[in-house]
């Protein structure tokens, strides 16, 4: 998933925005590490509580966006669950991608 934001976009809370521009081009947004962790945790919660293996989950961001994050896999055992999502940092040169 990618979101394109116009260069003149002004969020209500600028400190929550990671909108950047390089050479007057808009960078593609990606998922933060926290968003990916929240998505994996939500997939695990569905597996443990509802005994349901999901293919994607919806996660809300601090600026009000609702993202549907694909889930790679969910494993469930008697006492634990494990889920995987792929972090996509967009155009941000992030070392955690």
């Amino acid at each position: 998933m990618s979101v394109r934001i116009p260069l003149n976009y002004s969020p209500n809370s600028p400190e929550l925005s990671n909108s950047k521009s390089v050479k007057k081009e808009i960078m593609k947004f990606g998922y933060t590490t926290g968003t990916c962790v929240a998505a994996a945790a939500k997939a695990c919660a569905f597996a443990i509580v509802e005994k349901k293996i999901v293919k994607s989950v919806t996660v809300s961001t601090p600026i009000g966006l609702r993202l549907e994050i694909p889930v790679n896999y969910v494993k469930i055992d008697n006492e634990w669950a494990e889920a995987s999502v792929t972090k996509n940092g967009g155009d941000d040169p992030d070392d955690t991608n």
Side-chain angles (χ1 to χ4, degrees), residues 2-92:
S2 62
V3 176
R4 294 201 179 263
I5 306 293
L7 287 175
N8 62 355
Y9 173 73
S10 177
N12 293 334
S13 300
E15 66 277 359
L16 297 178
S17 174
N18 66 350
S19 176
K20 300 176 183 177
S21 64
V22 174
K23 297 181 185 174
K24 297 194 179 193
E25 293 180 20
I26 299 171
M27 294 177 70
K28 289 187 283 186
F29 279 49
Y31 309 136
T32 64
T33 303
T35 297
C36 293
V37 170
K42 191 170 184 178
C44 287
F46 275 116
I48 292 170
V49 175
E50 298 185 16
K51 307 292 187 229
K52 181 178 177 183
I53 304 297
V54 294
K55 301 258 187 227
S56 66
V57 293
T58 302
V59 178
S60 297
T61 68
I63 61 172
L65 295 175
R66 292 176 52 85
L67 304 174
E68 185 173 350
I69 310 290
V71 176
N72 297 327
Y73 69 84
V74 178
K75 294 179 184 176
I76 188 167
D77 199 354
N78 292 331
E79 297 180 6
W80 58 267
E82 173 182 308
S84 167
V85 300
T86 301
K87 184 177 186 308
N88 174 356
D91 287 339
D92 186 22

